[in-house]
Amino acid sequence: FYGMKIALDCANGSASETANELFRRLGAECTVINCRPDGENINRNCGSTHIDVLQEYVRNNGFDLGFAFDGDADRLLCVDSDGELVDGDKIMAICAKAMKEQGRLNANTLVATVMSNMGLFKFCEENGINCEKTKVGDRYVLERMLEKGFHIGGEQSGHVIFLDHATTGDGQLTAVQLLNVIRTTGKSLKELASEIEIFPQVLKNVKVSSLGKLRLFEDNDIKIAIEKAEKELETEGRVLVRASGTEPLVRVMIEGKNEEQINRLASEIAEVVRERLI
C-alpha cells in the first residue's frame, strides 16, 4: 500500500494504540485523528458513530480514503477520496465480489441482516452472489455463517466478519481486507463503491406500549397499511416493520427510488402503528 494516503479516525478508543502502527507497517502514509483517549472521550463526536468528522477531514486534506473505527474497533466505516461514505453494505459487496472472483466465497454466499439496503441485495443478484438474510445483530449473522460454513457476513453499521480470519467483527481486519481488494483490482475505493447503488432508506421509530408491541403482527389495520405500501412500491422498493428487541418501539423502514414517496408511506404506516398499539 505504498504511496497510499490514509486518514484514520480512532474514536479515542482501542484503535488509538494500534491503527497507526498497523497501516504504516503496510506502507501507507497515515494521519491519525481522535487518538488521545482519556477514559471519557471515547466515541464523543468522532469515529464511525460521527462519520461526518472524517468525511470533512478527508475532503479538505486530499486523502485517498479514510477509515473510521468505533470505540472498541469492531466496526469500520470508510470515506472515499471525495469524502463520500462507504458503509458496511458497500464494504461487504466489494469484498464478497472479490472473494467470488478469487474462488474464496464458499457457496457464493454473503450473509447480511434484513436491515441491509436493497442496493446490496440487487448488487449480489447481478453478480451471482447469494445473499442470506438474518435478524438484526451480528450474533445472528455469525450463527448463520457457522451453521452453513459461509465466509463473510455483517451489518450495514460496519460490523463485518471474515470467518477465515476471525469469529467477530474487527474493524482493522476489515480495513486490511478492503485495502487488499483495492490493491488487487487497481481500482480506487471510489470506483469500487460506485458499483453499488444504494436506495434511499427511511426509518421511523414509533413508541408503543409493551403490550401493544406484542400485538404488532396480529393487528389487521397495520397489515392493511403495510400491504398498501408494498402494492404502491411494487418491485421498486420494500417495507420492513419490526418490533425492537430491547425497547417499547416498532421500527418502520422503507426503501425505494423515490425519497418523497417512501417518506410519505413510512409516515402513513407509523401513524397507524401509533394509533393501534397504544
Side-chain angles (χ1 to χ4, degrees):
F1 311 119
Y2 288 97
M4 191 172 287
K5 193 176 176 186
I6 301 176
L8 303 168
D9 185 341
C10 295
N12 293 315
S14 60
S16 302
E17 294 297 318
T18 55
N20 187 39
E21 180 74 10
L22 169 63
F23 295 102
R24 282 189 190 281
R25 285 195 181 194
L26 292 173
E29 179 186 336
C30 300
T31 299
V32 187
I33 60 174
N34 300 310
C35 60
R36 298 184 181 278
D38 62 12
E40 295 182 354
N41 62 354
I42 188 169
N43 289 326
R44 184 191 294 162
N45 299 318
C46 58
S48 63
T49 54
H50 298 277
I51 193 66
D52 55 301
V53 175
L54 183 62
Q55 287 178 299
E56 185 176 354
Y57 192 79
V58 167
R59 201 176 284 129
N60 293 339
N61 293 282
F63 288 93
D64 295 310
L65 65 145
F67 292 140
F69 307 100
D70 61 340
D72 60 358
D74 63 347
R75 273 192 281 169
L76 173 77
L77 292 181
C78 306
V79 173
D80 72 14
S81 56
D82 288 342
E84 293 299 316
L85 171 66
V86 179
D87 67 6
D89 284 345
K90 287 196 171 186
I91 293 168
M92 287 190 290
I94 291 166
C95 292
K97 181 183 177 185
M99 290 170 69
K100 180 176 184 286
E101 290 170 349
Q102 296 162 9
R104 298 190 298 113
L105 188 64
N106 190 33
N108 286 335
T109 298
L110 163 71
V111 183
T113 76
V114 293
M115 290 298 284
S116 276
N117 193 275
M118 268 184 75
L120 172 63
F121 306 141
K122 184 179 177 184
F123 175 86
C124 288
E125 186 179 334
E126 291 171 349
N127 287 275
I129 298 170
N130 304 314
C131 191
E132 294 224 354
K133 304 179 189 73
T134 72
K135 292 192 290 185
V136 175
D138 56 339
R139 57 177 281 196
Y140 299 111
V141 172
L142 178 60
E143 282 176 5
R144 184 70 57 84
M145 293 172 71
L146 291 171
E147 176 191 350
K148 297 193 175 181
F150 301 137
H151 290 182
I152 181 173
E155 297 187 284
Q156 189 181 62
S157 62
H159 281 111
V160 183
I161 302 169
F162 293 89
L163 204 53
D164 288 337
H165 305 286
T167 55
T168 63
D170 182 328
Q172 292 170 104
L173 171 62
T174 301
V176 171
Q177 296 301 311
L178 191 58
L179 286 173
N180 273 327
V181 179
I182 292 170
R183 183 183 61 181
T184 55
T185 61
K187 294 181 179 179
S188 67
L189 179 59
K190 180 182 175 181
E191 289 173 307
L192 290 167
S194 69
E195 296 178 16
I196 306 106
E197 178 192 7
I198 295 297
F199 284 57
Q201 187 180 77
V202 174
L203 177 65
K204 293 187 179 292
N205 292 321
V206 185
K207 193 168 184 178
V208 299
S209 68
S210 298
L211 288 176
K213 189 170 82 166
L214 299 176
R215 301 198 310 271
L216 174 60
F217 295 110
E218 298 172 2
D219 189 278
N220 200 49
D221 287 359
I222 295 173
K223 287 180 184 176
I224 291 170
I226 293 170
E227 288 168 2
K228 177 175 174 287
E230 288 175 335
K231 186 176 180 181
E232 184 174 330
L233 288 168
E234 294 183 321
T235 59
E236 295 297 303
R238 68 175 180 133
V239 179
L240 178 65
V241 179
R242 67 182 189 90
S244 166
T246 56
E247 303 172 86
L249 294 174
V250 168
R251 306 193 195 281
V252 179
M253 190 277 284
I254 301 189
E255 287 172 346
K257 292 190 174 180
N258 185 317
E259 202 154 354
E260 184 179 337
Q261 179 190 41
I262 63 174
N263 266 297
R264 173 177 55 79
L265 292 174
S267 295
E268 289 173 1
I269 294 174
E271 187 55 36
V272 175
V273 170
R274 192 175 289 112
E275 290 174 355
R276 300 295 300 171
L277 302 183
I278 296 173

